[in-house]
Every structure is written in C-alpha cells, then in structure tokens.
C-alpha cells in the first residue's frame, strides 16, 4: 500500500536529494510535473512523500532514497503527528526485540492483517514489560502500575497544625489525585493502519541496526528537530547523578522527561524502575525507551506528579529528578495540607523545594535522592526555613555546584542536591559542599566531565563513608550544620568554601605574561605588509564559478553536518569554527553514520551571517561534523584548499549567497563564488590566505592571554596573593 498520507516539506525533500532548499524551489518552478502540495501552508507547503520519491527517481535526482531517511520522513510526516508515529514505532520495535518470530509472522501478510493482529501481539509483550499498560477496550484507570488506586488520596495532614483541614480542601485533593493515567495504551487496529508503512520500514531498519539503536536514532532525530519543546538532561550529567545514587534496586524519576536519568542507572537483576511525567507523550516515549534498554519492569504513568502522584505507596531506594524550574503553578493553592510537606510548606516561589520533599517522601529510610536544582534555591530567603529543617534533621547531605554548561540553561552553573531520608539522628550533622566550577570549558562544548565526575564522586564517597572529608580549598569541605543555621541559611558552595590556596599566584601570572609577550611578538611578525592597490588596468573582473558548479563537476564533495553520531567522538560545532577553537561539542547518540573531517577539508557555518571558512588541520581531523555546518572536500588536483577557503570568506560573496529571515541569516553554500584560476595562481592566493589565518589565530591567542592576565591580576590583588607594588 502506497503511503500517500505521509507528507514531507521542502526541507525534507532537500535532505532526501542532498541539495539545498533553493534547488527544490527551482524544481517546482521549472518542472510542470513536480508533485502538487497536499497540505501545509502557502509559505510552507507539504507534499506526499510517495509522489516525491517517484518524481526524484524519474528525474534521476537520486538513485534511491536512503532507508533511514525514508523512515524518518515517514515518521515526521505521519498524519497523526510524529509523537504518535514514534510511539507506534517503539511498540513495534519492542515486539521485534522481544519476539522476532511473532513479528515475522504477522507482518508477512497484508497491511490490514498486520494492523489487525498487532494489538494482540503487543498486549502479550507490553503487559509484562510495562505493567499497567492500558489494553484496548479497558478504561479502568483507578490503578496505575500496580500501585495504590490514584483516586484514593493519602490521609491529609496539615503542614501547619494551627490551621485545620477543611472538607473543601480534602475534596480538591481527591479530585486532583485522579488525573494520573498509564503512560502507554495499546493502539487499536484502526489507529495502527496508517502507521503500517512506517512500521515495515522501521522493521527493515532494525534488521540492519538493531531494535534499540533504531529507536534511539528516531527519538534523537525527533528531539533534535524540536529543541524548544523539550528540556533534556545531558548523558554525562545523568551518569553523574546515577553514580551518586549508588546501585539501588528500586528507582523513581517523578519528572522523567525522555528517561535519561533512569537509563543511566546501573543494571542489576532485581531492579525496578518507576517513571512519571506531566507530558503524556514523554511518559510514553520513556516507557518504550526503558523497556528496550533494560529487562527490568518499567512502571510509567502520565500526570502532574505534585498534584496527582501515581505512586503514593512507593518507598524507593533512590529518586533521581530533573524537575521543572521556577514553576509558579505547581499546586501551592491546592496542596496546603499535603502530608509530603514534612519539612515545611513551600512558598509559591519555591516549587523546587516541593520537589525535594516529594522525593524524600517517596524514599525508604536511608534511601538517596539526587536532584538537579537552580542555584537560587540554595539562597532564596523564602526557602530558608525549609533549608534549615532539612539540615537539622540530616536530610540534606550534599550541595554540589556544577560548572556552567552542564545542562540547560547552559549559562547558569546549576547545583546538585544529594538527600537521604533520615533513618537515625545525627549527633553532629555536617553538609558536604563541592564546587566543580573550575572544570568549566571554553566555548559551548560543555564542562570537563571526567574532571567533574572524579572530583564529585571522590568527595561524596569519602563523606558518605567517613562522615567528613579533608578540606580542599576552593573545591570541597564538610561544614558543620551549626555554621549554616544563620539568618540566611545560604548553602551556596562558593560562599562557604575557603579560596583556593594559590601559593605561586605571582609565578603563574609571570608565566602568562611571558607567553603573552611571545605571542605579541609573533603577531607583529605575522601582520600582513601594507596593502598595495591593483592598477586599474589590471583590475578586470575574473571569470567566476560557484560551489554548486564545482560540486557537479566533481572538483569538490559537499557534505552537511549530521543529527547524531557515535558516542565519545569530539564534534566540531559552528561555535568552534567561528571561534577557531578545538572540537568541543556533542551530538545525540545514535547509529547514524557521522561525517568525519579530514585534513584539507573546508568547513563553513550556514547560520548567523559570519563570513568564516576554516581549513581542517591535523589536530582537527577525525572530528564529527556538527549541525549547521557544511563541509567541502576539494580535489587537490583541481582546487587548493586555502584558495577555496579564502575566497569563500569574502564579505560580498557571503552577502549575495545569504537569505534573510526575521530572526536568522542562512547561507546557501552552493551559491558562493570563486574565480577560475590555474593551479599555480590558486596556490599564490592560498599562501597569502594561509598567512592571514596564522595572523588571525595569533591575535585570538593574544586576546585570550591578555584576558587571563587581567583576570589573574584582579584576583591576586583582591585576595592578597599579589602585592600592589
């Protein structure tokens, strides 16, 4: 059956054919038989994917649509939306992963037969793997994942004993508690029928890649295509939070998002996972992702955790949570008498402290909770009474200041709070404070995660084992709680740690000054000589060609940055190209084949309007090409790399090849121009462009060293390690 229901945009057509969007617009104008729009808007029309594929083959625009691209376009253009398509694909992949013979049997017939038989097959797989999955025809939602009925609220205990509970308040709590629902519902045959072409493509892709990598690839592409809709927890941060929790058997994430935290927990035979999220689509995707990732039962629910807790009777070994920040509508008016507020009723502005107490309420005695928090929670006056009670009773055990760039929002150095439900009274409780801010990396590549992980886990391991740590100025200290119980109860690590002991501050700055002097000398040597004007008689216009024409002639190969790649491979980002720094980025982990750079490649960013082109050297070679970058690989016999990069940097060249939107400038690399010159003349220009690049890099290095020297002098003079004279 042709998948005429699946639609694709002009951007998707360009990706299928490996061309720019301008080429698709030209095809629409020049070819009367180009498929007519079937949806979308006048400015962003949508086309039937099957018709587009047939047209591209007929006009020899491509030999065959790559399988992974065809599957992605089917998913992105699904008539019921990409999330529904991704859930259906995940269900089929779980069946393929668990019972491949069953899939082969039911998929061997017609599309109608597959859609009719699939719900029963999914019921047999999903029910034991994701307990509580809603079956077709069942509407009983009074019990989620085998837990207590969600419409039976726990006994209401006033947070303030002086204020009695009213019948109206209890009625409100009972009404709110009924909204948690199972994360997954087995789709019916009519709902599955439009997805059958997609499911067959997904099965074909899984035969080559495996079921789990296929789902990770599709999920990664969906998240990457909708970056503003989801707040993600980076894998390195998730791994650190899971390591702080140890090796628990029962783990809860009450704000699970895409399931990164539960996916990072160390596996063990008796493990049980519990997840909840207010977004039904995220809860469903997390349930499928975890079911594919582990053999442990995955209990998942959709609903507002604070208002409608799906697991009121759960006592977990660990709680991991990346809660929403700065939420005003978290339930302050509805939950005043909730028994979870054991340490005080949070203010309307303290939603994060409500999540902290929810986590403690769902722990067994001695269980550990690790939460990602905005730094303001450690010092806001509205939360000082709750912070004080958490300290007095020994529930808050550690506050870790992470480097900027650890997680969104990347400009803010977030905190980790490590809590433990008290199982005994501490005679002299202490709080571990750790500041990992020194591991902040330049650029947008994120912090030095190996350094962060080693520092934090070493400090926590010693503190958890011995009840204290050896003081490391500027890094870690265990502080007696009595020192923190002042009027502010400020738990910000940087304000409680002694400054780093820099016994050789003057010597270090002298070294920076020596390097700056040498760099300034080199910069002066590399400065280009005074420009000599070209005589007017010799300044005739050179014959020009374009990057697109050179690509068609085989003089260069053009590649675009990917949406995923292998784990732990450095990624060259657009920021790296603009700043001239080393590869610093990451991409979502997937089995997608990455584009690797080679010496002599020319890399250009396509967003932002900056006239920049970078020639890849030996140090940068082997990095993955990141998003919003285009790579040009010239044939050395036809094109000199430095000649190519130099002419592509021309301001006028960029201006004529750029298009402008309301918020961004996009470069059409194929329209960039360069002159037709003989190889010897190319090399002449190339040597001059190479010298300009060396001068530019020396200027950047001098600027960095100058900033480092100025910052070090200010710090040394203010902390007393450097004398004013």
């Amino acid at each position: 059956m042709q998948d005429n229901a699946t639609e694709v945009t002009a951007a998707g057509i360009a990706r299928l054919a490996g061309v720019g969007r301008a080429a698709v617009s030209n095809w629409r104008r020049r070819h009367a038989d180009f498929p007519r729009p079937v949806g979308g808007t006048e400015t962003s029309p949508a086309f039937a994917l099957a018709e587009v594929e047939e047209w591209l083959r007929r006009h020899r625009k491509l030999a065959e649509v790559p399988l992974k691209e065809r599957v992605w376009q089917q998913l992105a253009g699904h008539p019921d939306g990409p999330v529904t398509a991704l859930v259906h694909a995940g269900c089929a992949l779980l069946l393929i992963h668990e019972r491949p013979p069953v899939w082969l049997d039911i998929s061997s017939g017609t599309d109608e037969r597959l859609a009719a038989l699939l719900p029963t097959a999914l019921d047999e797989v999903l029910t034991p793997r994701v307990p509580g999955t809603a079956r077709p025809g069942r509407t009983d939602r009074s019990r989620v994942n085998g837990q207590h009925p969600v419409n039976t609220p726990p006994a209401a205990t006033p947070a303030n004993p002086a204020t009695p509970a009213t019948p109206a308040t209890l009625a409100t709590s009972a009404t709110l508690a009924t909204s948690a629902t199972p994360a997954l519902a087995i789709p019916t045959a009519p709902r599955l029928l439009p997805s059958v072409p997609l499911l067959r493509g997904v099965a074909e892709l899984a035969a080559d890649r495996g079921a789990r990598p296929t789902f990770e690839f599709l999920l990664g592409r969906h998240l990457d295509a909708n970056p503003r809709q989801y707040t993600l927890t980076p894998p390195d941060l998730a791994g650190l939070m899971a390591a702080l929790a140890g090796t628990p058997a029962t783990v809860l994430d009450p704000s699970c998002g895409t399931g990164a935290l539960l996916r990072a927990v160390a596996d063990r035979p008796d493990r049980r996972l519990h997840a909840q999220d207010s977004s039904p689509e995220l809860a469903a995707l997390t349930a499928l992702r975890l079911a594919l990732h582990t053999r442990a039962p995955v209990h998942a629910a959709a609903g507002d955790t604070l208002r409608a807790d799906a697991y009121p009777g759960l006592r977990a070994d660990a709680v991991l949570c990346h809660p929403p920040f700065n939420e005003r509508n978290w339930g302050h008016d509805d939950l005043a008498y909730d028994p979870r507020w054991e340490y005080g009723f949070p203010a309307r502005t303290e939603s994060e402290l409500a999540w902290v107490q929810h986590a403690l309420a769902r722990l067994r005695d001695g269980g550990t909770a690790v939460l990602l928090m905005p730094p303001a929670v450690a010092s806001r006056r509205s939360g000082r009474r709750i912070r004080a009670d958490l300290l007095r009773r020994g529930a808050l055990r550690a506050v870790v200041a992470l480097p900027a760039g650890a997680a969104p929002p990347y400009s803010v150095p977030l905190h980790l709070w490590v809590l433990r439900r008290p199982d005994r009274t501490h005679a002299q409780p202490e709080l571990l404070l750790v500041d990992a801010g020194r591991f902040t990396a330049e650029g947008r590549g994120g912090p030095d995660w190996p350094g962060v992980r080693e520092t934090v886990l070493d400090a926590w391991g010693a503190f958890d084992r011995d009840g204290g740590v050896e003081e490391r100025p500027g890094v870690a200290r265990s502080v007696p709680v009595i020192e923190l119980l002042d009027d502010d109860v400020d738990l910000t690590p940087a304000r409680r740690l002694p400054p780093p002991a820099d016994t050789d501050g003057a010597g270090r700055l002298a070294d920076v000054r020596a390097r700056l002097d040498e760099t300034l000398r080199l910069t002066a040597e590399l400065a280009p000589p005074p420009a000599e004007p070209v005589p007017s008689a010799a300044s005739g216009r050179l014959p020009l060609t374009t990057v697109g024409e050179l690509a068609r002639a085989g003089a260069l190969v053009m590649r675009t940055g990917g949406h995923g790649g292998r784990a732990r491979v450095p990624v060259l980002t657009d920021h790296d190209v603009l700043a001239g720094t080393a590869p610093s980025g990451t991409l979502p982990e997937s089995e997608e084949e990455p584009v690797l750079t080679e010496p002599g490649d020319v890399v250009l960013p396509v967003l932002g309007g900056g006239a920049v082109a970078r020639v890849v050297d030996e140090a940068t070679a082997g990095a993955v090409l990141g998003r919003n970058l285009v790579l040009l690989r010239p044939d050395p016999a036809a094109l000199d790399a430095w000649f190519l990069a130099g002419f592509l940097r021309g301001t006028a060249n960029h201006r004529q090849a750029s298009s402008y939107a309301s918020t961004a400038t996009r470069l059409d690399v194929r329209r960039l121009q360069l002159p037709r010159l003989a190889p010897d003349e190319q090399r002449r220009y190339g040597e001059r462009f190479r010298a300009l690049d060396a001068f530019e890099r020396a200027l950047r290095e001098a600027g960095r060293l100058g900033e480092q020297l100025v910052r070090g002098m200010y710090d040394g003079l203010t902390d007393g390690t450097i004398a004013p004279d």
Side-chain angles (χ1 to χ4, degrees):
M1 182 178 81
Q2 286 288 349
D3 184 22
N4 291 314
T6 300
E7 299 176 0
V8 61
T9 63
I13 298 173
R15 194 179 296 116
L16 285 171
V19 299
R21 290 189 61 176
V24 178
S25 298
N26 288 334
W27 294 342
R28 293 185 63 195
R29 287 194 300 267
R30 293 166 51 192
H31 296 275
D33 63 336
F34 192 87
R36 300 295 181 188
V38 296
T41 64
E42 184 177 348
T43 57
S44 180
F47 307 83
L49 177 60
E51 295 178 7
V52 168
E53 290 182 5
E54 195 278 330
W55 187 90
L56 290 172
R57 293 192 185 94
R58 188 169 69 248
H59 287 264
R60 298 183 179 180
K61 301 300 183 183
L62 77 171
E64 182 61 46
V65 178
L67 175 60
K68 65 179 182 180
E69 198 61 45
R70 174 161 56 86
V71 170
W72 166 248
Q73 293 298 342
Q74 288 176 321
L75 187 146
H78 194 280
D80 292 330
V83 174
T84 297
L86 194 53
V87 171
H88 291 179
C91 290
L93 286 168
L94 185 59
L95 177 62
I96 293 169
H97 181 67
E98 295 282 328
R99 301 183 182 181
V102 175
W103 168 262
L104 291 175
D105 176 49
I106 65 175
S107 63
S108 60
T110 64
D111 289 357
E112 290 74 12
R113 178 177 181 269
L114 173 56
L117 296 179
L118 190 53
T120 301
L122 290 177
D123 188 10
E124 295 175 355
V125 171
L126 282 173
T127 301
R129 299 290 290 108
V130 187
T133 298
R135 300 176 179 178
R138 282 190 59 181
T139 58
D140 177 19
R141 295 185 173 182
S142 64
R143 186 176 293 270
V144 176
N145 301 330
Q147 300 297 318
H148 297 290
V150 297
N151 61 351
T152 304
T157 302
N160 183 354
T163 307
T166 65
T169 304
L170 297 181
T172 301
S173 299
T175 302
L176 291 168
T178 62
S179 60
T181 60
L184 279 176
I186 297 173
T188 60
R191 292 295 305 276
L192 285 169
L193 188 58
S195 300
V196 168
L198 167 67
L199 301 186
R200 293 191 186 278
V202 164
E204 188 178 351
L205 194 60
D208 178 49
R209 294 170 170 243
R212 184 186 304 164
T214 297
F215 186 75
E216 290 294 325
F217 160 71
L218 295 174
L219 176 62
R221 284 288 289 268
H222 173 67
L223 298 175
D224 189 57
N226 302 276
R228 297 184 180 181
Q229 293 184 22
Y230 306 103
T231 300
L232 305 181
T233 307
D236 290 305
L237 175 58
L240 174 60
M241 293 175 67
L244 287 168
T247 56
T250 305
V251 190
L252 167 68
D253 184 346
S255 180
C256 62
T258 60
L261 291 174
L262 292 177
R263 189 170 178 263
V265 177
D267 202 1
R268 54 183 289 177
D270 58 343
R271 187 173 66 175
R272 296 182 304 281
L273 303 178
H274 295 76
Q276 183 172 352
D277 199 275
S278 59
S279 166
E281 63 183 52
L282 287 179
L285 294 177
T286 291
L288 290 168
R289 188 182 194 189
L290 295 175
L292 282 164
H293 179 71
T294 177
R295 297 298 306 171
V298 179
H299 303 270
D304 185 328
T305 296
L306 295 181
R307 288 187 172 96
D309 181 15
Y311 311 105
L314 179 65
R315 294 297 175 263
D317 298 314
V319 175
L320 300 175
C321 186
H322 178 174
F325 297 161
N326 303 317
E327 287 283 327
R328 292 298 183 97
N329 186 27
W330 59 268
H332 177 271
D333 295 337
D334 307 318
L335 302 172
Y337 304 100
D338 196 289
R340 289 171 293 182
W341 316 143
E342 188 177 349
Y343 300 87
F345 181 39
R348 189 184 303 276
T349 57
E350 295 289 352
S351 62
E352 296 86 2
L353 292 179
W355 285 96
V356 164
Q357 296 191 75
H358 173 81
L360 286 168
R362 295 296 159 261
L363 286 174
R364 63 166 175 81
D365 290 346
T368 302
V370 184
L371 285 85
L372 184 67
M373 307 288 277
V377 183
S379 58
R380 279 195 298 242
R381 290 189 60 81
S382 55
R384 65 188 186 277
R385 291 185 179 179
I386 295 178
R387 293 196 299 271
D389 207 29
L390 290 169
L391 291 173
R392 289 191 193 96
R393 298 172 60 178
L396 181 58
R397 306 300 295 139
V399 175
V400 177
L402 296 169
Y410 290 107
S411 59
V412 178
L414 301 176
H415 288 181
L416 288 179
W417 282 27
V418 184
L419 303 109
R420 184 159 287 162
R421 184 170 180 82
D423 56 353
R424 58 187 176 84
T425 302
H426 293 264
Q428 295 180 334
E430 295 190 346
L431 177 72
L432 173 65
L433 297 177
V434 181
D435 189 349
R438 65 193 182 106
F439 295 104
T440 301
E442 294 184 4
R444 296 189 303 183
D448 173 15
W449 279 112
V452 173
R453 185 180 176 92
E454 180 181 3
T455 298
V456 173
L457 293 183
D458 284 352
W460 171 249
F463 179 81
D464 194 33
R465 181 181 61 252
D466 304 327
V469 295
E470 182 179 349
E471 183 177 295
R472 296 177 59 189
V475 178
R477 177 191 175 201
S478 54
V479 184
V481 165
I482 192 64
E483 293 185 19
L484 302 170
L485 296 177
D486 52 21
D487 289 341
D488 295 323
V489 197
D490 191 337
L491 309 181
T492 306
R495 295 172 185 161
R496 301 289 183 173
L497 293 173
D502 193 351
T503 58
D504 192 26
R508 177 174 53 82
L509 291 179
D511 179 64
V512 173
R513 174 60 189 266
R515 290 163 55 201
L516 177 60
D517 290 342
E518 177 63 22
T519 304
L520 290 173
R521 182 190 62 77
L522 178 62
T523 303
E525 293 178 358
L526 293 173
E532 298 181 3
V534 177
S536 58
S539 61
R541 185 173 177 84
L542 296 171
L544 299 176
T545 185
T546 65
V547 170
E549 291 173 352
L550 292 171
R552 287 191 291 272
L556 57 83
V557 175
M558 184 173 172
R559 304 289 300 276
T560 57
H563 296 268
R566 301 164 186 162
R568 304 186 184 280
V569 178
V571 175
L572 185 68
T573 68
D574 53 348
H575 182 273
D576 299 330
V577 175
L578 292 168
T581 54
S584 64
T586 58
L587 284 176
E589 183 180 349
S590 76
E591 293 300 313
E592 181 176 354
E593 191 64 28
V595 178
L596 301 180
T597 58
E598 297 180 2
D601 290 344
V602 178
V603 180
L604 301 89
V606 297
L607 293 179
V612 176
R614 177 173 175 177
V615 179
V616 175
D617 55 16
E618 294 290 344
T620 309
V624 174
L625 188 69
R627 293 168 290 184
N628 301 323
L629 291 177
V630 170
L631 179 147
L632 304 177
R633 183 163 293 159
D635 180 357
L639 280 174
D640 179 81
W642 285 102
F643 161 78
L644 174 64
F647 273 97
L648 297 187
R649 287 192 62 168
T651 302
N653 201 3
H654 267 248
R655 188 182 301 118
Q656 65 85 27
S658 295
S659 58
Y660 303 94
S662 58
T663 59
T665 302
R666 187 171 187 88
L667 178 69
D668 186 351
V669 176
R670 291 176 175 272
R671 294 172 55 188
L672 289 171
Q673 299 175 335
L674 63 157
R676 298 179 185 270
L677 295 178
D680 289 343
E681 192 67 8
Q682 288 185 31
R683 283 190 286 273
R684 240 182 100 221
Y685 275 99
E687 287 302 319
R688 188 65 181 270
F689 288 137
R690 188 197 294 264
L692 281 174
D693 180 78
F695 175 61
E696 183 180 34
R697 284 188 282 110
L699 281 176
R700 283 201 185 104
E701 181 63 16
R704 292 191 188 104
L705 289 171
E707 290 179 2
Q708 186 177 347
L709 179 62
V710 170
R711 185 170 59 251
M713 289 295 295
Y714 271 110
D715 291 345
L717 288 168
T718 55
D719 64 23
T721 58
I722 296 177
D725 52 359

